[in-house]
Amino acid sequence: MKKINVFVVVPVYNEEYRAVETIKNILKVNKEVKIVVIDDGSTDNSLKILKSFFLRNKNIFISNHMINLGKGASMKTGVTIAWKQGAEAVVFMDADGQHDPKYLFKFIDKLNKYPIVFGYRELNKNIPWIRRNGNKFAGWLIKVFFNIERKDLLCGFLGFRKEIYKKIIWKSDRYGIETEIATKVGKNQIPFSEIKIDTIYIDKYKGVTIFDAFKILFKIPFWFFER
C-alpha cells in the first residue's frame, strides 16, 4: 500500500525559543518531513527568529497572521497551505514542546490505516486537577451526546487525512478545537485510532483555564444540535 504524504502543522504564538527547539526536534526524528509553521500574530520575536533559522529549508513553510486570530484559525491556515503543497494528511503539534516528536512515526503509520488519529495522555495526578476532571466530564458528555469514547479530549497532538477535512472542520477559534473535532467524528461515525503519548506540562499556567473549560462544556450540547 502506498504511504500517504503527511505534513506537520505547528501553530505558534509567543514561543520564540521553544518553537525553534520544537521544530529542530521534529527534524531530528525525521529530517525529510515537511512542516508548516503558522505564527499567529506573535508580539515577541517568534516570526523573526523562526525565519532566521528555517527560511532556507525547502521542507519548512513559514506563514503568519498579522494579528492574533487564535489556535483554531492557525490550524486552518496551516491545513490550507499543506493541501496546496500536496499533503494528503496533516499532524498537529504544539510549538511549546508538550508533544514529543518521537511519536510522529506512529501517527504517520496510523494515518495510513485510519482517517483520523488522536493522541492521548494518562489523566493522572500529573495533569492539573481542573483539566483532568474537566476532561473526564467532557468525555462523558460526548459519549452521551455523540456515542464516541475518547481517552483525552484536550490533547492537541492529532492528525487526519485530507478526505475527511470537510466533515470535521471546526468553528472554534481558540480553545475547544479538539473537543469539537471529536464531536464531529462521532456525528459522522468516522473510524479513528488513539496513540498514547507522554504527559508533558511546560507551564501549568498556560492552556485551558476554568473559564475556558466551562465554555467548552456548554458548547457540547450546542454542537449536538448544530447542522
Side-chain angles (χ1 to χ4, degrees):
M1 181 176 67
K2 177 182 173 291
K3 290 189 175 182
I4 60 175
N5 187 16
V6 181
F7 280 44
V8 177
V9 175
V10 183
V12 176
Y13 180 65
N14 289 349
E15 293 287 0
E16 49 192 3
Y17 297 111
R18 287 176 179 170
V20 168
E21 288 306 306
T22 294
I23 294 165
K24 283 183 176 180
N25 289 334
I26 293 170
L27 294 173
K28 285 178 185 177
V29 170
N30 185 345
K31 65 180 180 181
E32 300 299 324
V33 72
K34 293 181 172 61
I35 306 171
V36 179
V37 184
I38 306 297
D39 178 77
D40 188 28
S42 293
T43 56
D44 64 3
N45 291 313
S46 292
L47 183 61
K48 181 180 179 181
I49 293 172
L50 286 164
K51 284 183 174 180
S52 71
F53 274 90
F54 304 114
L55 194 59
R56 294 182 182 179
N57 189 320
K58 294 181 179 179
N59 285 339
I60 298 178
F61 307 89
I62 300 174
S63 185
N64 69 291
H65 296 155
M66 296 301 294
I67 59 172
N68 179 248
L69 298 177
K71 183 180 177 182
S74 297
M75 289 168 67
K76 286 178 183 175
T77 300
V79 166
T80 300
I81 293 171
W83 298 158
K84 286 181 179 178
Q85 295 297 329
E88 296 169 286
V90 291
V91 173
F92 295 100
M93 295 181 65
D94 287 352
D96 61 5
Q98 290 195 48
H99 300 151
D100 194 325
K102 71 183 180 183
Y103 295 104
L104 191 54
F105 283 117
K106 285 189 176 183
F107 274 86
I108 293 172
D109 181 61
K110 288 283 188 182
L111 283 168
N112 279 280
K113 302 166 188 174
Y114 294 90
I116 186 161
V117 180
F118 296 101
Y120 74 92
R121 303 154 297 178
E122 288 288 355
L123 299 180
N124 54 32
K125 63 182 180 180
N126 294 324
I127 294 181
W129 185 91
I130 184 63
R131 299 185 193 181
R132 182 173 70 249
N133 290 283
N135 204 328
K136 289 179 179 179
F137 183 62
W140 175 79
L141 276 181
I142 71 157
K143 182 179 179 181
V144 170
F145 279 100
F146 299 96
N147 192 30
I148 176 176
E149 289 196 52
R150 285 289 325 285
K151 295 184 176 74
D152 179 2
L153 281 172
L154 300 180
C155 182
F157 203 167
L158 63 97
F160 55 78
R161 297 202 302 243
K162 185 178 182 180
E163 70 255 25
I164 68 159
Y165 180 49
K166 289 183 179 179
K167 291 183 178 180
I168 64 167
I169 191 165
W170 52 93
K171 294 182 179 178
S172 302
D173 289 328
R174 300 188 184 276
Y175 298 111
I177 302 113
E178 297 84 6
T179 304
E180 184 181 355
I181 290 173
T183 65
K184 292 179 184 293
V185 169
K187 246 184 187 180
N188 292 287
Q189 291 296 291
I190 300 171
F192 68 92
S193 182
E194 294 183 295
I195 294 171
K196 183 180 176 182
I197 66 169
D198 295 340
T199 303
I200 302 172
Y201 271 103
I202 306 298
D203 186 345
K204 68 180 181 179
Y205 298 106
K206 286 184 61 178
V208 180
T209 64
I210 294 175
F211 183 63
D212 296 322
F214 276 114
K215 285 199 295 185
I216 294 169
L217 291 175
F218 281 121
K219 282 182 178 179
I220 291 175
F222 170 79
W223 288 324
F224 177 77
F225 292 105
E226 183 185 45
R227 290 186 178 181

